[in-house]
Amino acid sequence: MTAQTKPDPTRRIAVYALVVCLLAVVAAIVSFAKGSLLGIVWVLMAGLTSNLWWFSVRKRRAEQAAAEGNLPTA
């Protein structure tokens, strides 16, 4: 029997942020195609969630490097 590992909340947040980012991009494209300026809000949402995704990915990589003993120098 294999031991189950505890789910990583950082990874889960990154996946959710990426999904919301992709959905916001699609919503922005549809809004602009219909001539609505509401697409600006969707573009801002996509920017916010892409930053959240990138931050989560970088945090996870830093945690993995620290666990392995390979600390970044810069």
Side-chain angles (χ1 to χ4, degrees), residues 15-62:
V15 170
Y16 289 154
L18 183 61
V19 169
V20 172
C21 180
L22 294 175
L23 290 173
V25 168
V26 170
I29 291 170
V30 169
S31 292
F32 284 131
K34 290 186 175 188
S36 174
L37 291 179
L38 188 61
I40 294 170
V41 174
W42 292 116
V43 169
L44 293 174
M45 177 75 81
L48 179 70
T49 56
S50 70
N51 286 342
L52 180 63
W53 172 78
W54 182 241
F55 176 77
S56 299
V57 169
R58 286 184 58 199
K59 182 179 177 186
R60 182 164 183 211
R61 286 181 187 167

Side-chain angles (χ1 to χ4, degrees), residues 1-5:
M1 184 177 263
T2 60
Q4 291 182 344
T5 59

